Amino acid sequence: MTSDFQVPPSLSIKGNEAVAKDILSRIWGKRGVFTCTVANTLTSTIPGVSEAGDTPELTLFTPAADAELLVLGKTVCMKGIPINPGGIPTPATLTIAALNLSGIQSHVINAGCKIVPNIPFYDVGGTYGEAITCGKSVKDVEMLYERGKILGELFAKDNDFIVISESCAGGTTTAMAVMMAMGVMKENLVSSSSPNNPKELKTNLVNEAFRNAGISIGSLADDPLKAIECVGDPMIAVNAGMVVGASKHVPVIIGGGTQMAAVIAVAVGMDDSCVGNIFQGTTRWLVEDRNSDIEKIIAGIHKDVPLIYVNMDYSKSPYEGLQAYEWGFIKEGVGCGGSSVAAIISSSGKITCDDLLEEVHRLYRNILHIE
Amino acid sequence: MTSDFQVPPSLSIKGNEAVAKDILSRIWGKRGVFTCTVANTLTSTIPGVSEAGDTPELTLFTPAADAELLVLGKTVCMKGIPINPGGIPTPATLTIAALNLSGIQSHVINAGCKIVPNIPFYDVGGTYGEAITCGKSVKDVEMLYERGKILGELFAKDNDFIVISESCAGGTTTAMAVMMAMGVMKENLVSSSSPNNPKELKTNLVNEAFRNAGISIGSLADDPLKAIECVGDPMIAVNAGMVVGASKHVPVIIGGGTQMAAVIAVAVGMDDSCVGNIFQGTTRWLVEDRNSDIEKIIAGIHKDVPLIYVNMDYSKSPYEGLQAYEWGFIKEGVGCGGSSVAAIISSSGKITCDDLLEEVHRLYRNILHIE
């Protein structure tokens, strides 16, 4: 069954193909639930770190705005929708398209926001993170992880699989710091929502954070939660707990880019029994990004955590804001890859990249009021 | 199909049988989700009002403790489980039994707690209510109602029906006040968790609340949200919104006693298009209560909102704490009736009252550590 499982052209696999096909064969045509965990850290307000927002200050509004878009189809905490400088729209547009077409239920989890979304959301009692440079970024990490585990168990009940994801500006920097503190990544391989990935700045910030935390590369290999407490963000703690809690019962799609790789690193570090029941669900844009290396990052965590990505292509889109995804902007976020992979899975492949693109165009016109 | 729908012996119907059987036939054997909305009001701390707690102060802990029991199977905010004076255990024991046997997913919604449960919960931005005697009990009622509507829409997605319920000590008094302000109830017909229903005290408190709010019986017939703001509780606002939001898409089981009748009154008052797609799901204990009249209350709201109750009988239970339900204690709460009705529906009647009783006994022994 597994070996001869036919993967549709909308999807591609990297890494352990046997594990990927085994999981796909178990959840193909089945029912899943989508969750998006939002959080702030003041790291995103350090000029140059994050482009998930038109200005450093606006990056704090991006998670709340993405959450409002997911639940309401419009934003309340800000005017318009989150955009990168240059007017490139949030990847939530693709996420919403995938959820609309598949009918998959979605829930927002607030891991710790400074700007709180104006919607009902799952609260885990978290507070927003500090700038990692202080070396003491996240409070109550163990509680966040434990409550994430409870949420994972809860959502696994009566569902065949769950998708977890994130919106946390500045998250690639905290993800890089956590993976380096754990020693699963030795050099900066993380992505950016900009084609001009500010690698030197991120590396300098992580070095400063390590100095102030009194840690070094790999020194927290055996204490993933401590790595989050020192140089991580609240999203990683909650989502890692969800992976561990849910994967005991059902497969978990870790939806997102290098930020979610840190979630995998922590989850595997806390309880590697999740391996074999999880894969990373992402986009072609991220996998093909020349400025990051998601395959190498995941391989550094565990050889049996495969990557399944959706072959979305915006190059023929009439909208420049979407074409920009092909030029290296955005690439991932708000579980756009994981939700697309989930929509294709739950529909037994009936939903295709063309269907998703058409719905993205419809949403894009509605949201940006284009005729 | 509807007319010849066979109701199993575990269930009975009161009120409009055609509507009841129509809804049952549409959701029989289908998939539902259970929600419990918890809140505090200082009304429960007025001596004599509530017995949902060993002392007036402990009644504030009861909703949080019930929520923790539902999610964790144990309490964190207090030692032991919520009990009435005399050691009668919370009806959550039956709710958990129904959820265990049916595998129905459950979610806790915090409408406004002073004592917050130590679990992940859905937050709607509410704050706890004042004592109704002040005549200005609940803040942000419109926001709570609107967010309830969003939650109803959200849970209706990818589910065939939803169950709503409550744990809000002192709630029969606020429910009575709201229904009288709306004029759907002219006299005190509400229930109590005690066989010695303190009717005179409740009536005096409601009269004082009406004086201080400057309202009279029926004066807020056209403004249900104002009735909640003056003399209600946060639970009613959120749950009424959920009824309106969810019933546009799927049937809604309003699980509970006279407190949930107030939810029906407000929902029907705000948008009576929900009628025909809702019924109250409760227990034989409540329907047979000599000190209240749920049938008359519902009839006063709308003739086409039927009542479906589970024929649980604890008279042969070896445990006095459970036998007490037959003597007029507890009767309802934490959606024990609605979740039992839902378990029977989702299992196409395979789950019976005997099955539920057996599971309640197992839980009772575990929770109270009885051999």
Side-chain angles (χ1 to χ4, degrees), chain A residues 99-137:
Chain A
L99 295 173
N100 285 356
L101 294 186
S102 63
I104 291 174
Q105 193 177 86
S106 79
H107 300 268
V108 167
I109 299 156
N110 175 4
C113 283
K114 191 167 197 293
I115 306 297
V116 174
N118 299 285
I119 51 167
F121 53 74
Y122 249 111
D123 190 285
V124 291
T127 46
Y128 66 91
E130 302 297 330
I132 59 165
T133 42
C134 74
K136 226 182 171 324
S137 329

mmCIF file of all heavy atoms in Angstrom, chain A residues 99-137:
data_model
loop_
_atom_site.group_PDB
_atom_site.id
_atom_site.type_symbol
_atom_site.label_atom_id
_atom_site.label_comp_id
_atom_site.label_asym_id
_atom_site.label_seq_id
_atom_site.Cartn_x
_atom_site.Cartn_y
_atom_site.Cartn_z
ATOM 1 N N LEU A 99 -8.313 26.453 3.126
ATOM 2 C CA LEU A 99 -9.358 26.131 4.109
ATOM 3 C C LEU A 99 -10.740 26.258 3.471
ATOM 4 O O LEU A 99 -11.625 25.434 3.710
ATOM 5 C CB LEU A 99 -9.243 27.033 5.332
ATOM 6 C CG LEU A 99 -7.962 26.873 6.162
ATOM 7 C CD1 LEU A 99 -7.887 27.927 7.251
ATOM 8 C CD2 LEU A 99 -7.883 25.476 6.766
ATOM 9 N N ASN A 100 -10.932 27.275 2.629
ATOM 10 C CA ASN A 100 -12.220 27.453 1.945
ATOM 11 C C ASN A 100 -12.550 26.258 1.065
ATOM 12 O O ASN A 100 -13.659 25.712 1.134
ATOM 13 C CB ASN A 100 -12.198 28.712 1.068
ATOM 14 C CG ASN A 100 -12.307 29.992 1.878
ATOM 15 O OD1 ASN A 100 -12.480 29.951 3.087
ATOM 16 N ND2 ASN A 100 -12.185 31.122 1.200
ATOM 17 N N LEU A 101 -11.592 25.843 0.252
ATOM 18 C CA LEU A 101 -11.858 24.764 -0.707
ATOM 19 C C LEU A 101 -12.043 23.417 -0.002
ATOM 20 O O LEU A 101 -12.856 22.596 -0.419
ATOM 21 C CB LEU A 101 -10.725 24.651 -1.727
ATOM 22 C CG LEU A 101 -10.538 25.825 -2.694
ATOM 23 C CD1 LEU A 101 -9.477 25.478 -3.730
ATOM 24 C CD2 LEU A 101 -11.851 26.194 -3.380
ATOM 25 N N SER A 102 -11.314 23.191 1.076
ATOM 26 C CA SER A 102 -11.339 21.870 1.736
ATOM 27 C C SER A 102 -12.418 21.768 2.805
ATOM 28 O O SER A 102 -12.819 20.668 3.182
ATOM 29 C CB SER A 102 -9.981 21.598 2.391
ATOM 30 O OG SER A 102 -9.732 22.553 3.411
ATOM 31 N N GLY A 103 -12.862 22.920 3.334
ATOM 32 C CA GLY A 103 -13.824 22.886 4.441
ATOM 33 C C GLY A 103 -13.208 22.440 5.753
ATOM 34 O O GLY A 103 -13.915 22.115 6.709
ATOM 35 N N ILE A 104 -11.879 22.438 5.817
ATOM 36 C CA ILE A 104 -11.191 22.052 7.059
ATOM 37 C C ILE A 104 -11.436 23.127 8.128
ATOM 38 O O ILE A 104 -11.377 24.322 7.856
ATOM 39 C CB ILE A 104 -9.672 21.876 6.803
ATOM 40 C CG1 ILE A 104 -9.416 20.640 5.932
ATOM 41 C CG2 ILE A 104 -8.901 21.773 8.123
ATOM 42 C CD1 ILE A 104 -7.961 20.457 5.500
ATOM 43 N N GLN A 105 -11.753 22.665 9.351
ATOM 44 C CA GLN A 105 -12.000 23.587 10.467
ATOM 45 C C GLN A 105 -10.679 24.190 10.933
ATOM 46 O O GLN A 105 -9.649 23.522 10.889
ATOM 47 C CB GLN A 105 -12.633 22.792 11.613
ATOM 48 C CG GLN A 105 -13.239 23.631 12.711
ATOM 49 C CD GLN A 105 -13.907 22.773 13.790
ATOM 50 O OE1 GLN A 105 -13.254 22.322 14.728
ATOM 51 N NE2 GLN A 105 -15.195 22.524 13.638
ATOM 52 N N SER A 106 -10.696 25.466 11.331
ATOM 53 C CA SER A 106 -9.445 26.076 11.794
ATOM 54 C C SER A 106 -9.621 26.779 13.130
ATOM 55 O O SER A 106 -10.708 27.267 13.449
ATOM 56 C CB SER A 106 -8.919 27.058 10.741
ATOM 57 O OG SER A 106 -9.628 28.277 10.804
ATOM 58 N N HIS A 107 -8.550 26.774 13.913
ATOM 59 C CA HIS A 107 -8.539 27.394 15.239
ATOM 60 C C HIS A 107 -7.270 28.212 15.413
ATOM 61 O O HIS A 107 -6.201 27.780 14.996
ATOM 62 C CB HIS A 107 -8.591 26.323 16.322
ATOM 63 C CG HIS A 107 -9.799 25.451 16.276
ATOM 64 N ND1 HIS A 107 -10.938 25.727 16.990
ATOM 65 C CD2 HIS A 107 -10.054 24.319 15.576
ATOM 66 C CE1 HIS A 107 -11.843 24.790 16.746
ATOM 67 N NE2 HIS A 107 -11.336 23.927 15.892
ATOM 68 N N VAL A 108 -7.403 29.385 16.029
ATOM 69 C CA VAL A 108 -6.246 30.227 16.328
ATOM 70 C C VAL A 108 -5.855 30.015 17.790
ATOM 71 O O VAL A 108 -6.715 29.964 18.674
ATOM 72 C CB VAL A 108 -6.575 31.713 16.087
ATOM 73 C CG1 VAL A 108 -5.497 32.609 16.692
ATOM 74 C CG2 VAL A 108 -6.732 31.981 14.599
ATOM 75 N N ILE A 109 -4.571 29.852 18.027
ATOM 76 C CA ILE A 109 -4.040 29.702 19.384
ATOM 77 C C ILE A 109 -3.117 30.878 19.673
ATOM 78 O O ILE A 109 -2.210 31.162 18.892
ATOM 79 C CB ILE A 109 -3.268 28.371 19.513
ATOM 80 C CG1 ILE A 109 -4.204 27.191 19.251
ATOM 81 C CG2 ILE A 109 -2.612 28.260 20.889
ATOM 82 C CD1 ILE A 109 -3.507 25.941 18.791
ATOM 83 N N ASN A 110 -3.390 31.584 20.757
ATOM 84 C CA ASN A 110 -2.559 32.713 21.158
ATOM 85 C C ASN A 110 -1.501 32.236 22.145
ATOM 86 O O ASN A 110 -1.800 31.995 23.311
ATOM 87 C CB ASN A 110 -3.429 33.805 21.779
ATOM 88 C CG ASN A 110 -2.617 34.968 22.331
ATOM 89 O OD1 ASN A 110 -1.389 35.005 22.179
ATOM 90 N ND2 ASN A 110 -3.282 35.894 22.991
ATOM 91 N N ALA A 111 -0.266 32.109 21.677
ATOM 92 C CA ALA A 111 0.822 31.620 22.553
ATOM 93 C C ALA A 111 1.392 32.740 23.396
ATOM 94 O O ALA A 111 2.036 32.485 24.421
ATOM 95 C CB ALA A 111 1.920 30.990 21.700
ATOM 96 N N GLY A 112 1.121 33.989 22.985
ATOM 97 C CA GLY A 112 1.639 35.141 23.708
ATOM 98 C C GLY A 112 1.763 36.331 22.780
ATOM 99 O O GLY A 112 2.784 36.500 22.114
ATOM 100 N N CYS A 113 0.707 37.137 22.706
ATOM 101 C CA CYS A 113 0.696 38.296 21.808
ATOM 102 C C CYS A 113 0.744 39.586 22.596
ATOM 103 O O CYS A 113 0.113 39.712 23.645
ATOM 104 C CB CYS A 113 -0.578 38.291 20.949
ATOM 105 S SG CYS A 113 -0.520 37.101 19.600
ATOM 106 N N LYS A 114 1.508 40.573 22.106
ATOM 107 C CA LYS A 114 1.463 41.938 22.657
ATOM 108 C C LYS A 114 0.267 42.656 22.043
ATOM 109 O O LYS A 114 -0.472 43.350 22.725
ATOM 110 C CB LYS A 114 2.767 42.665 22.326
ATOM 111 C CG LYS A 114 2.959 43.996 23.048
ATOM 112 C CD LYS A 114 4.410 44.462 22.892
ATOM 113 C CE LYS A 114 4.794 45.538 23.890
ATOM 114 N NZ LYS A 114 4.100 46.813 23.690
ATOM 115 N N ILE A 115 0.079 42.456 20.742
ATOM 116 C CA ILE A 115 -1.115 42.942 20.053
ATOM 117 C C ILE A 115 -2.053 41.742 19.908
ATOM 118 O O ILE A 115 -1.769 40.807 19.153
ATOM 119 C CB ILE A 115 -0.773 43.509 18.662
ATOM 120 C CG1 ILE A 115 0.315 44.576 18.757
ATOM 121 C CG2 ILE A 115 -2.036 44.037 17.984
ATOM 122 C CD1 ILE A 115 -0.068 45.805 19.556
ATOM 123 N N VAL A 116 -3.157 41.749 20.668
ATOM 124 C CA VAL A 116 -4.051 40.590 20.750
ATOM 125 C C VAL A 116 -5.113 40.655 19.647
ATOM 126 O O VAL A 116 -5.695 41.715 19.417
ATOM 127 C CB VAL A 116 -4.731 40.558 22.137
ATOM 128 C CG1 VAL A 116 -5.778 39.457 22.216
ATOM 129 C CG2 VAL A 116 -3.677 40.363 23.233
ATOM 130 N N PRO A 117 -5.348 39.543 18.914
ATOM 131 C CA PRO A 117 -6.354 39.564 17.859
ATOM 132 C C PRO A 117 -7.767 39.761 18.423
ATOM 133 O O PRO A 117 -8.070 39.287 19.514
ATOM 134 C CB PRO A 117 -6.219 38.195 17.191
ATOM 135 C CG PRO A 117 -5.521 37.333 18.184
ATOM 136 C CD PRO A 117 -4.678 38.236 19.017
ATOM 137 N N ASN A 118 -8.596 40.481 17.656
ATOM 138 C CA ASN A 118 -9.968 40.772 18.097
ATOM 139 C C ASN A 118 -10.931 39.683 17.633
ATOM 140 O O ASN A 118 -11.849 39.942 16.843
ATOM 141 C CB ASN A 118 -10.393 42.138 17.553
ATOM 142 C CG ASN A 118 -9.505 43.247 18.063
ATOM 143 O OD1 ASN A 118 -9.615 43.655 19.218
ATOM 144 N ND2 ASN A 118 -8.592 43.700 17.213
ATOM 145 N N ILE A 119 -10.689 38.490 18.105
ATOM 146 C CA ILE A 119 -11.492 37.316 17.740
ATOM 147 C C ILE A 119 -11.492 36.364 18.937
ATOM 148 O O ILE A 119 -10.693 36.537 19.856
ATOM 149 C CB ILE A 119 -10.860 36.565 16.542
ATOM 150 C CG1 ILE A 119 -9.365 36.302 16.821
ATOM 151 C CG2 ILE A 119 -11.040 37.330 15.241
ATOM 152 C CD1 ILE A 119 -8.704 35.326 15.902
ATOM 153 N N PRO A 120 -12.365 35.351 18.923
ATOM 154 C CA PRO A 120 -12.202 34.287 19.919
ATOM 155 C C PRO A 120 -10.967 33.462 19.544
ATOM 156 O O PRO A 120 -10.757 33.173 18.356
ATOM 157 C CB PRO A 120 -13.467 33.434 19.742
ATOM 158 C CG PRO A 120 -14.383 34.203 18.851
ATOM 159 C CD PRO A 120 -13.519 35.108 18.034
ATOM 160 N N PHE A 121 -10.126 33.144 20.520
ATOM 161 C CA PHE A 121 -8.938 32.322 20.242
ATOM 162 C C PHE A 121 -8.674 31.421 21.439
ATOM 163 O O PHE A 121 -9.153 31.682 22.546
ATOM 164 C CB PHE A 121 -7.719 33.201 19.960
ATOM 165 C CG PHE A 121 -7.442 34.223 21.035
ATOM 166 C CD1 PHE A 121 -6.904 33.862 22.262
ATOM 167 C CD2 PHE A 121 -7.729 35.573 20.810
ATOM 168 C CE1 PHE A 121 -6.654 34.819 23.246
ATOM 169 C CE2 PHE A 121 -7.491 36.534 21.796
ATOM 170 C CZ PHE A 121 -6.953 36.145 23.009
ATOM 171 N N TYR A 122 -7.915 30.350 21.198
ATOM 172 C CA TYR A 122 -7.480 29.494 22.303
ATOM 173 C C TYR A 122 -6.384 30.205 23.059
ATOM 174 O O TYR A 122 -5.406 30.653 22.469
ATOM 175 C CB TYR A 122 -6.977 28.141 21.798
ATOM 176 C CG TYR A 122 -7.898 27.005 22.165
ATOM 177 C CD1 TYR A 122 -8.639 26.340 21.205
ATOM 178 C CD2 TYR A 122 -8.045 26.616 23.501
ATOM 179 C CE1 TYR A 122 -9.501 25.308 21.553
ATOM 180 C CE2 TYR A 122 -8.902 25.590 23.860
ATOM 181 C CZ TYR A 122 -9.629 24.942 22.893
ATOM 182 O OH TYR A 122 -10.486 23.928 23.241
ATOM 183 N N ASP A 123 -6.564 30.340 24.368
ATOM 184 C CA ASP A 123 -5.581 30.996 25.214
ATOM 185 C C ASP A 123 -4.847 29.938 26.035
ATOM 186 O O ASP A 123 -5.466 29.013 26.549
ATOM 187 C CB ASP A 123 -6.283 31.984 26.152
ATOM 188 C CG ASP A 123 -5.301 32.866 26.886
ATOM 189 O OD1 ASP A 123 -4.648 32.375 27.830
ATOM 190 O OD2 ASP A 123 -5.170 34.041 26.522
ATOM 191 N N VAL A 124 -3.523 30.055 26.111
ATOM 192 C CA VAL A 124 -2.737 29.103 26.908
ATOM 193 C C VAL A 124 -2.010 29.808 28.059
ATOM 194 O O VAL A 124 -1.135 29.232 28.704
ATOM 195 C CB VAL A 124 -1.711 28.353 26.030
ATOM 196 C CG1 VAL A 124 -2.417 27.397 25.079
ATOM 197 C CG2 VAL A 124 -0.823 29.328 25.259
ATOM 198 N N GLY A 125 -2.382 31.070 28.294
ATOM 199 C CA GLY A 125 -1.805 31.802 29.418
ATOM 200 C C GLY A 125 -0.414 32.345 29.161
ATOM 201 O O GLY A 125 0.321 32.652 30.106
ATOM 202 N N GLY A 126 -0.038 32.479 27.891
ATOM 203 C CA GLY A 126 1.305 32.945 27.563
ATOM 204 C C GLY A 126 1.408 34.461 27.465
ATOM 205 O O GLY A 126 0.415 35.157 27.329
ATOM 206 N N THR A 127 2.649 34.962 27.555
ATOM 207 C CA THR A 127 2.919 36.384 27.343
ATOM 208 C C THR A 127 3.954 36.519 26.222
ATOM 209 O O THR A 127 4.696 35.578 25.945
ATOM 210 C CB THR A 127 3.485 37.042 28.622
ATOM 211 O OG1 THR A 127 4.517 36.198 29.155
ATOM 212 C CG2 THR A 127 2.392 37.211 29.664
ATOM 213 N N TYR A 128 4.007 37.686 25.582
ATOM 214 C CA TYR A 128 4.893 37.866 24.425
ATOM 215 C C TYR A 128 6.363 37.781 24.844
ATOM 216 O O TYR A 128 6.701 38.020 26.004
ATOM 217 C CB TYR A 128 4.604 39.203 23.730
ATOM 218 C CG TYR A 128 4.932 40.431 24.548
ATOM 219 C CD1 TYR A 128 6.185 41.045 24.470
ATOM 220 C CD2 TYR A 128 3.979 40.985 25.395
ATOM 221 C CE1 TYR A 128 6.489 42.176 25.219
ATOM 222 C CE2 TYR A 128 4.264 42.110 26.150
ATOM 223 C CZ TYR A 128 5.521 42.698 26.052
ATOM 224 O OH TYR A 128 5.806 43.803 26.803
ATOM 225 N N GLY A 129 7.212 37.447 23.897
ATOM 226 C CA GLY A 129 8.630 37.282 24.184
ATOM 227 C C GLY A 129 9.404 38.589 24.107
ATOM 228 O O GLY A 129 9.000 39.527 23.432
ATOM 229 N N GLU A 130 10.523 38.627 24.830
ATOM 230 C CA GLU A 130 11.434 39.784 24.768
ATOM 231 C C GLU A 130 12.307 39.671 23.507
ATOM 232 O O GLU A 130 12.233 38.684 22.782
ATOM 233 C CB GLU A 130 12.337 39.801 26.008
ATOM 234 C CG GLU A 130 11.592 39.848 27.328
ATOM 235 C CD GLU A 130 10.774 41.120 27.469
ATOM 236 O OE1 GLU A 130 11.177 42.166 26.901
ATOM 237 O OE2 GLU A 130 9.710 41.063 28.110
ATOM 238 N N ALA A 131 13.144 40.677 23.265
ATOM 239 C CA ALA A 131 14.152 40.572 22.204
ATOM 240 C C ALA A 131 15.177 39.528 22.652
ATOM 241 O O ALA A 131 15.631 39.557 23.806
ATOM 242 C CB ALA A 131 14.821 41.909 21.977
ATOM 243 N N ILE A 132 15.545 38.587 21.752
ATOM 244 C CA ILE A 132 16.407 37.477 22.194
ATOM 245 C C ILE A 132 17.765 37.955 22.682
ATOM 246 O O ILE A 132 18.416 37.275 23.471
ATOM 247 C CB ILE A 132 16.633 36.416 21.085
ATOM 248 C CG1 ILE A 132 17.269 37.028 19.846
ATOM 249 C CG2 ILE A 132 15.372 35.673 20.780
ATOM 250 C CD1 ILE A 132 17.823 35.962 18.907
ATOM 251 N N THR A 133 18.167 39.155 22.243
ATOM 252 C CA THR A 133 19.474 39.668 22.649
ATOM 253 C C THR A 133 19.623 39.731 24.166
ATOM 254 O O THR A 133 20.738 39.731 24.676
ATOM 255 C CB THR A 133 19.679 41.069 22.049
ATOM 256 O OG1 THR A 133 18.453 41.809 22.180
ATOM 257 C CG2 THR A 133 20.050 40.973 20.579
ATOM 258 N N CYS A 134 18.496 39.762 24.905
ATOM 259 C CA CYS A 134 18.583 39.827 26.374
ATOM 260 C C CYS A 134 18.982 38.470 26.950
ATOM 261 O O CYS A 134 19.389 38.374 28.107
ATOM 262 C CB CYS A 134 17.265 40.295 26.987
ATOM 263 S SG CYS A 134 15.971 39.043 26.952
ATOM 264 N N GLY A 135 18.845 37.400 26.149
ATOM 265 C CA GLY A 135 19.246 36.082 26.640
ATOM 266 C C GLY A 135 18.241 35.424 27.573
ATOM 267 O O GLY A 135 18.485 34.348 28.118
ATOM 268 N N LYS A 136 17.092 36.075 27.737
ATOM 269 C CA LYS A 136 16.019 35.512 28.586
ATOM 270 C C LYS A 136 14.687 35.892 27.947
ATOM 271 O O LYS A 136 13.996 36.793 28.405
ATOM 272 C CB LYS A 136 16.133 36.094 30.003
ATOM 273 C CG LYS A 136 16.011 35.033 31.085
ATOM 274 C CD LYS A 136 16.074 35.599 32.495
ATOM 275 C CE LYS A 136 15.729 34.527 33.537
ATOM 276 N NZ LYS A 136 14.687 33.570 33.090
ATOM 277 N N SER A 137 14.334 35.219 26.843
ATOM 278 C CA SER A 137 13.246 35.720 25.986
ATOM 279 C C SER A 137 11.859 35.333 26.419
ATOM 280 O O SER A 137 10.931 36.118 26.270
ATOM 281 C CB SER A 137 13.422 35.191 24.556
ATOM 282 O OG SER A 137 14.760 35.019 24.246
#
